[in-house]
Amino acid sequence: MKPPKPLTLFRNPFKPISTLSPLSSSSSNPQSNHTQHAHIPLSKTHLYSSFFCTLIEAYLACRRFSDATRAFSSMRRLHGLNPDTDGWHRILYGFNASGYVSQVPILYSEMLNCGRTPNVFTHNVLIHAFCKLGLIGDALDLLRRVETDVVSYNTVIWGLCRGGSVESATGFLSEMLKRGVGFDAFSCNTLVHGFCRKGLVNEAQALRDMLVRGGVEPDVIGFNTLIDGYCKIGRMSVARDLFERMRREGVSPDIISYNCLIDGYCKVGDFSRAEALMDDILSAKLDTDSPEGENGCLNLEPNIVTHTSFISAYCNQKGLDEALSLYEETVKNGFLPDVVTYSSIMNGFFKNLKLVEGTAVFREMEKTAGRSVESAMFMKDMLVRGIPFDLITYTVLMDGLFKVGKADEAEDMFETLLRVGLSPNHITYSALINGLCKVGNMKGAELALLYMDEKGREGNVITYSSVINGYVKKGMLTEAIDVIGKMKERDIFPNVVTYGTIIDGLFKVGRDNLALDMYKEMVERGLEVNNYVLDILVNGLRKIGKMGEAEGLFNDTVQRGLSIDQVNYTTIMDGLFKRGKTSAALKVGHEMMENGIQPDVVAYNVFIKCLCKLGKFDEALSFLSEMKALGMTPDHATFNTMIAALCKKVKMDAMFKICDEMKSHGLYPNLITYSTIVGGLCEEGEVDKAMEVLNEMTAFGLRPNSIIHKKMLHAQARGKNADSILQMHEHLIEMGLIPDLDIYNNLVHILCTFGMISKATSVLNDILKRGMPRVCLDITTYNAILSGLSEAGLMKEANEIMNEMQEKGLDPNAVTYNILVSGHGKIGNKKDSIRLYCEMVRKGFIPMLGTYNILINDFSKVGMMIQARELFNEMHKRGVSPNSSTYDILIRGWSKLSNRAEVQRLLKEMDKNGFVPCGSTIGCISNAFARPGQRGHTRRILKSFYERKESERFLHGLFLIDTFPYTDYEAFQAL
DNA sequence: ATAGGGTTAG
């Protein structure tokens, strides 16, 4: 594990960063103390100041701010010129419009100091500047104090809407009427836009309808704003209706109307409708070009905005290559890509982890934009709705660098962005915070949050969800939950992503009940399960043994109309494979392909895992080749799966061969690979060989983990004494193992398993004496001890520990009960196992499948089949699905009682669920039912019959061929 | 006063 990276962010967070020398404050300007100015004849002062004003306007227009401020200083301090009111207005307006808004209030006071009288226009510019600076209070103050017109009010409405306060903005309409200024289409459209931006499109429409009834003229801008509003919330049919209505009402759609619709269709992936609209524009253009065709649609030509919508959507939905070829075509047709086009492409590269190409696009942009002189005009084009091109571009770049794993460079990029004078908005901060969280730098993330706060930027649900994710990934759930509290304080409501993140985290640390509470809360708040949350819940429920509930949820969600995606399919397949329901899993695979979803690397890994599990290594290998042929890159999971399977089958030579193949793919064994191999060798008792592998592993800089610790100690324990176990434990710590609660639980568990109870107790006391940080006896520790005792069959000692635990006030949890029920079950102590089973069920815990299997087996093996059947029904009732072993156990039990009918019924049910009886079950069946002297023969028939069925399922599922008809039980009947 | 690019979970 890498040590936490030093904080490079905010090495000096509060240093003023600016390349500009701000206006005003004359004392800092050496020129200002001169009483004698450069000589300008009095008759020419008007001409000169007018010239300066024009120069300043020009500089501002092309964002050469330092030149503009220098020219202003020169005019005022060097030449002592005082422009007339018109001149001051031009400067004020220029600064305000160019984006260098912070200077407007300063200029305004200087204007007053110079004896010029402000009028409505002056104040409107100032109000506008206040609004842009987020100083709504100052804007409203001014509005109260000075002469106003409709523009002043419209500006304030705009400012309020921009800050999200649409309700108070709407309130100004009545004040406008009262004051006799009246409102106009500007007021209306601004408010409509304000509502739309918050997603309140219905409210926007209602307001507009009302104002139109009150006499406001419906115009193209109002229609466009509403159309765009509907597009943005994905309600394309309503947007389209409005578009048609607009034509009917005699308002001609313009290119913006078309662009809104096109972008909307692109975003929902309806490219054919988007393209049809593009064709409409082109044919309308042809009509206008031809002398006779005049359809009223002037200036209807696609522009770079139209094309960028397509390019961007292609990037996100069709893939980078498609986007790039569209981009090339656009350029070839003479459209000049602008900053948005470039940023989209750059983003596409980074999202596809193409660092070199992404950076190259950025350099190209820099080059084009920085080519000064005449490129000044180009820079102006790069201004998009008043946002300097750099902010989003830099955000894309920074985010991209984080995504490709260049966290240091990403942080540098953030500093650069500050250095060039950009002020980050909440999205930039969110991207930064997310990046820091992803590299685990939570301190940096918290600092960035504070910094953002100080700069007056408010985080949104995405910002905080990123932080939550950061904590969740570190297992710091308490901190994650605290963030939710912080969000609620700020009226930022967790959304489905926030809930998904936290639910996932809670399941992963085993706090299942809290996870389910969160899920409940989410549903109560009216949030709907999506593909992500479905997957999180299915995985979580599966993990805690509530497979029945998982399946129920899955089916409910499908019923509700959610279309299952690739990940959902893969998870379900994996779940079914793990439960041995091979054919059901393959059916899902079939369904997935029928729905046009191609299996990806993960799905292939699931197939390969299943093949391995069934011992079909050759087929697994052919899947590996197939993956490569399809251009997919096998990953660590692919190889680790095969390695694990070969380890289990004790085919260590083949396993090492796979390791070599993995290396030939440029993939090096990771911690999972090593744990698997070490585990495999340990199972074989090859402790020395395992240690050799561990030495290789540490040479690669990997530390042993708790899995390795467990396996090594277990292997070492066989036939040895407690001291040698402790020696191995110490040795692993020397190799870099970090001793935590898990590790001590392992140690205690193993000592108990091998009956070294007193040694275990002394280790425990030792830990307590040494005061291991964060190590305290919890239910997990007790479960570890109980599990060890249980495995060793020492149930008397287990009962004593259980009593001690309860005296200390620790309540047994689901894990404890599963351990104890199984423990008593395994030694045939039916009285206690059933007593504890009843107790756990009464407390609402659901026994795991394994626990049921042990219980059923305990009754079944002594012929108590009525009780076994009762337990089997109980598990059904509680939503626990049987696996292959459950059926094997029952069939063997009934076979011993020669109950042909039960055996037939169970075989049929087993088959329906996609299971096949194992070898020993087949043995039991033939022993019970075959004619004397025919047992071996019958066993062979049965065996080949079930093997054939298994392979047919494969063929049926994987290669989609029809299974040839056979009578299910012909072999059985033939007995 | 209206259109295209950037931030979150399996």
Side-chain angles (χ1 to χ4, degrees):
Chain A
M1 203 178 292
K2 237 173 71 178
K5 202 170 63 64
L7 271 183
T8 65
L9 175 73
F10 313 134
R11 274 174 281 236
N12 182 1
F14 306 116
K15 74 182 172 208
I17 298 165
S18 175
T19 53
L20 305 176
S21 52
L23 291 171
S24 105
S25 190
S26 29
S27 63
S28 65
N29 190 332
Q31 303 283 357
S32 64
N33 290 336
H34 291 199
T35 42
Q36 200 63 41
H37 299 118
H39 180 71
I40 289 172
L42 201 61
S43 61
K44 297 256 162 83
T45 54
H46 176 74
L47 186 68
Y48 272 71
S49 56
S50 177
F51 160 73
F52 269 111
C53 292
T54 308
L55 184 65
I56 293 164
E57 274 184 310
Y59 280 139
L60 289 172
C62 53
R63 301 177 57 76
R64 288 167 63 175
F65 296 128
S66 43
D67 289 330
T69 50
R70 210 172 301 125
F72 181 81
S73 278
S74 180
M75 172 180 83
R76 293 284 305 128
R77 325 276 176 246
L78 186 64
H79 299 293
L81 293 168
N82 177 12
D84 59 13
T85 305
D86 178 60
W88 279 105
H89 281 171
R90 281 160 62 197
I91 299 173
L92 280 166
Y93 187 87
F95 271 92
N96 185 47
S98 71
Y100 199 11
V101 195
S102 58
Q103 304 306 307
V104 174
I106 300 167
L107 285 163
Y108 174 76
S109 12
E110 186 157 344
M111 174 183 167
L112 296 192
N113 284 339
C114 289
R116 297 289 181 234
T117 317
N119 61 17
V120 190
F121 181 85
T122 332
H123 288 131
N124 285 346
V125 173
L126 187 56
I127 290 173
H128 196 187
F130 279 143
C131 287
K132 283 204 215 171
L133 290 166
L135 305 167
I136 297 290
D138 293 284
L140 292 175
D141 241 32
L142 199 62
L143 187 76
R144 301 281 172 246
R145 287 190 355 246
V146 299
E147 185 199 345
T148 52
D149 60 7
V150 66
V151 177
S152 332
Y153 277 98
N154 284 344
T155 308
V156 164
I157 288 176
W158 176 83
L160 285 165
C161 285
R162 191 168 161 272
S165 314
V166 273
E167 286 82 4
S168 31
T170 315
F172 274 92
L173 290 176
S174 56
E175 190 176 321
M176 288 167 93
L177 286 177
K178 248 185 274 164
R179 287 226 189 167
V181 278
F183 49 78
D184 57 12
F186 271 69
S187 333
C188 170
N189 294 340
T190 308
L191 284 166
V192 167
H193 188 224
F195 278 105
C196 286
R197 272 174 38 145
K198 299 187 93 179
L200 303 169
V201 190
N202 289 334
E203 288 80 348
Q205 169 127 38
L207 180 73
R208 180 160 186 266
D209 289 349
M210 191 182 81
L211 297 183
V212 167
R213 277 198 303 273
V216 169
E217 192 65 31
D219 60 4
V220 64
I221 294 177
F223 274 112
N224 288 347
T225 308
L226 260 185
I227 288 171
D228 189 52
Y230 282 114
C231 289
K232 290 259 154 62
I233 58 168
R235 305 206 37 193
M236 290 312 295
S237 55
V238 186
R240 189 57 185 252
D241 287 347
L242 208 54
F243 179 82
E244 304 299 344
R245 196 181 110 195
M246 162 179 182
R247 277 194 222 264
R248 279 199 309 273
E249 294 184 5
V251 182
S252 297
D254 59 9
I255 185 62
I256 295 181
S257 329
Y258 275 96
N259 283 347
C260 292
L261 281 178
I262 286 175
D263 190 63
Y265 282 129
C266 282
K267 288 248 159 65
V268 298
D270 192 344
F271 290 109
S272 54
R273 284 209 167 82
E275 276 154 20
L277 282 168
M278 182 70 131
D279 291 341
D280 276 2
I281 304 174
L282 294 174
S283 56
K285 182 174 172 284
L286 283 180
D287 286 352
T288 351
D289 284 351
S290 60
E292 66 271 52
E294 178 67 56
N295 66 357
C297 287
L298 288 172
N299 295 327
L300 209 53
E301 276 190 51
N303 55 22
I304 189 63
V305 176
T306 329
H307 292 290
T308 304
S309 281
F310 279 104
I311 292 171
S312 167
Y314 272 37
C315 254
N316 293 324
Q317 300 174 44
K318 288 200 176 183
L320 185 57
D321 289 339
E322 284 83 350
L324 287 175
S325 63
L326 191 58
Y327 168 79
E328 270 168 35
E329 199 186 309
T330 306
V331 174
K332 215 167 59 203
N333 287 332
F335 292 93
L336 197 65
D338 66 6
V339 59
V340 179
T341 324
Y342 277 129
S343 297
S344 306
I345 294 288
M346 185 169 91
N347 190 40
F349 278 126
F350 277 114
K351 291 286 140 72
N352 285 275
L353 304 181
K354 303 211 182 252
L355 171 67
V356 179
E357 293 85 343
T359 316
V361 174
F362 181 74
R363 296 289 164 231
E364 184 61 30
M365 287 169 84
E366 261 189 340
K367 218 171 74 196
T368 328
R371 213 170 44 201
S372 70
V373 210
E374 89 271 59
S375 78
M377 286 317 287
F378 186 74
M379 280 283 282
K380 188 172 168 288
D381 290 337
M382 285 208 147
L383 276 175
V384 181
R385 293 183 312 284
I387 303 167
F389 87 103
D390 315 71
L391 184 59
I392 295 185
T393 315
Y394 275 107
T395 306
V396 171
L397 183 61
M398 180 188 71
D399 179 59
L401 287 167
F402 271 123
K403 293 246 150 70
V404 298
K406 303 263 174 193
D408 288 333
E409 287 173 39
E411 286 184 51
D412 287 345
M413 203 47 69
F414 184 75
E415 291 199 344
T416 306
L417 170 165
L418 292 176
R419 208 170 48 243
V420 301
L422 293 171
S423 57
N425 63 13
H426 69 286
I427 298 182
T428 313
Y429 281 113
S430 297
L432 170 69
I433 288 166
N434 181 47
L436 291 168
C437 288
K438 283 275 161 66
V439 296
N441 182 357
M442 296 313 291
K443 271 218 168 91
E446 291 285 1
L447 257 176
L449 266 178
L450 280 177
Y451 188 66
M452 176 168 100
D453 225 31
E454 268 168 41
K455 292 284 165 187
R457 303 285 184 211
E458 285 177 13
N460 62 9
V461 63
I462 297 179
T463 326
Y464 289 101
S465 298
S466 299
V467 177
I468 289 173
N469 185 43
Y471 280 124
V472 161
K473 289 285 130 67
K474 292 198 132 189
M476 299 163 77
L477 269 296
T478 315
E479 286 80 354
I481 291 170
D482 287 348
V483 177
I484 292 204
K486 204 156 129 191
M487 286 171 80
K488 288 178 182 167
E489 267 169 36
R490 294 173 186 225
D491 275 347
I492 300 166
F493 294 104
N495 64 12
V496 60
V497 178
T498 326
Y499 279 109
T501 309
I502 205 110
I503 291 171
D504 192 38
L506 287 167
F507 271 127
K508 292 224 164 93
V509 299
R511 303 193 57 184
D512 316 317
N513 289 332
L514 199 49
L516 294 172
D517 286 348
M518 281 285 175
Y519 167 57
K520 219 174 108 201
E521 186 182 307
M522 182 187 116
V523 175
E524 276 164 6
R525 288 185 175 221
L527 297 169
E528 283 198 358
V529 173
N530 63 11
N531 293 106
Y532 279 84
V533 177
L534 175 63
D535 208 56
I536 288 166
L537 289 166
V538 167
N539 275 322
L541 290 168
R542 193 174 76 172
K543 197 178 131 230
I544 61 172
K546 298 188 174 176
M547 194 59 201
E549 285 187 35
E551 275 180 298
L553 177 75
F554 192 86
N555 294 333
D556 286 352
T557 316
V558 174
Q559 291 262 297
R560 271 219 336 270
L562 184 80
S563 53
I564 301 307
D565 71 8
Q566 191 188 53
V567 179
N568 296 144
Y569 274 121
T570 310
T571 303
I572 282 292
M573 276 194 294
D574 191 45
L576 291 168
F577 275 138
K578 280 210 179 98
R579 294 162 63 208
K581 296 190 168 187
T582 312
S583 68
L586 293 171
K587 214 177 117 203
V588 173
H590 189 162
E591 190 186 312
M592 173 170 105
M593 289 194 252
E594 272 185 342
N595 286 336
I597 300 173
Q598 278 303 309
D600 64 352
V601 177
V602 183
Y604 265 94
N605 289 347
V606 168
F607 288 143
I608 287 174
K609 191 188 271 178
C610 175
L611 289 165
C612 285
K613 202 176 154 197
L614 293 163
K616 308 194 181 223
F617 296 107
D618 291 339
E619 288 179 41
L621 280 171
S622 75
F623 263 64
L624 187 66
S625 318
E626 192 180 311
M627 273 173 88
K628 286 187 271 186
L630 288 169
M632 274 184 257
T633 321
D635 59 11
H636 272 110
T638 321
F639 289 106
N640 287 346
T641 302
M642 299 189 71
I643 288 168
L646 290 166
C647 278
K648 231 173 237 152
K649 291 268 166 186
V650 207
K651 297 191 173 168
M652 298 313 264
D653 291 341
M655 185 278 287
F656 282 117
K657 246 174 83 187
I658 295 285
C659 267
D660 289 338
E661 172 156 4
M662 177 176 175
K663 287 177 188 164
S664 76
H665 276 80
L667 284 172
Y668 283 87
N670 61 12
L671 195 54
I672 298 175
T673 324
Y674 282 117
S675 315
T676 311
I677 298 171
V678 168
L681 290 168
C682 284
E683 291 293 326
E684 286 309 291
E686 305 263 22
V687 184
D688 294 340
K689 275 194 190 162
M691 190 47 85
E692 272 174 41
V693 173
L694 276 182
N695 286 330
E696 180 189 311
M697 182 185 100
T698 47
F700 279 109
L702 297 170
R703 293 163 175 272
N705 60 8
S706 77
I707 295 171
I708 289 173
H709 177 258
K710 192 186 225 165
K711 300 270 185 189
M712 288 298 278
L713 259 57
H714 210 273
Q716 185 74 0
R718 286 184 196 171
K720 296 216 176 148
N721 55 27
D723 287 336
S724 86
I725 296 176
L726 287 170
Q727 271 167 22
M728 177 59 81
H729 170 79
E730 294 298 333
H731 187 57
L732 290 172
I733 288 178
E734 278 164 26
M735 292 176 93
L737 174 78
I738 299 165
D740 57 13
L741 186 57
D742 269 356
I743 298 301
Y744 284 105
N745 285 345
N746 277 347
L747 184 57
V748 171
H749 178 115
I750 282 160
L751 287 169
C752 289
T753 307
F754 287 87
M756 302 165 208
I757 315 293
S758 61
K759 196 75 198 174
T761 320
S762 83
V763 167
L764 265 180
N765 290 333
D766 200 41
I767 301 164
L768 291 171
K769 230 177 18 228
R770 275 192 286 164
M772 283 293 303
R774 298 185 58 193
V775 173
C776 58
L777 293 187
D778 60 4
I779 185 72
T780 316
T781 318
Y782 276 101
N783 284 342
I785 301 171
L786 289 171
S787 158
L789 292 169
S790 200
E791 269 171 43
L794 300 165
M795 295 318 289
K796 197 168 146 274
E797 289 82 351
N799 281 339
E800 283 165 18
I801 294 282
M802 173 85 165
N803 289 339
E804 179 192 318
M805 190 180 106
Q806 282 177 315
E807 274 165 26
K808 287 196 178 175
L810 278 171
D811 283 331
N813 63 12
V815 178
T816 324
Y817 280 113
N818 277 307
I819 291 168
L820 292 173
V821 172
S822 309
H824 286 296
K826 263 187 290 192
I827 60 163
N829 179 0
K830 294 177 196 56
K831 195 172 136 253
D832 280 327
S833 63
I834 287 297
R835 177 180 58 81
L836 287 160
Y837 168 81
C838 292
E839 190 176 315
M840 91 179 274
V841 166
R842 205 169 49 241
K843 288 194 183 174
F845 295 120
I846 296 176
M848 293 193 316
L849 171 63
T851 308
Y852 271 114
N853 281 348
I854 286 174
L855 276 178
I856 294 172
N857 190 44
D858 191 30
F859 286 99
S860 188
K861 71 186 178 211
V862 294
M864 297 169 75
M865 293 313 292
I866 306 299
Q867 289 83 346
R869 185 163 57 193
E870 182 58 32
L871 281 162
F872 184 68
N873 292 338
E874 279 259 320
M875 73 186 276
H876 262 299
K877 213 170 67 193
R878 301 188 191 283
V880 180
S881 304
N883 67 0
S884 198
S885 300
T886 323
Y887 287 106
D888 281 322
I889 292 165
L890 288 166
I891 291 171
R892 285 201 297 264
W894 286 116
S895 290
K896 278 188 201 141
L897 298 186
S898 299
N899 187 328
R900 183 186 289 258
E902 279 293 337
V903 171
Q904 276 188 338
R905 194 185 58 77
L906 282 162
L907 276 173
K908 202 166 181 172
E909 192 178 317
M910 187 172 190
D911 181 69
K912 201 187 79 206
N913 285 328
F915 302 124
V916 168
C918 72
S920 84
T921 305
I922 287 171
C924 281
I925 299 171
S926 53
N927 280 345
F929 303 107
R931 280 179 224 105
Q934 292 284 308
R935 282 177 187 164
H937 176 65
T938 310
R939 193 170 305 172
R940 277 193 295 280
I941 294 179
L942 269 172
K943 204 157 171 276
S944 78
F945 170 68
Y946 282 109
E947 272 170 7
R948 199 179 76 220
K949 278 177 71 167
E950 185 66 5
S951 66
E952 274 160 16
R953 281 199 184 86
F954 263 95
L955 293 172
H956 181 70
L958 293 180
F959 307 111
L960 316 179
I961 65 160
D962 287 325
T963 312
F964 62 85
Y966 59 81
T967 316
D968 258 359
Y969 296 101
E970 60 182 315
F972 188 60
Q973 239 92 86
L975 287 170

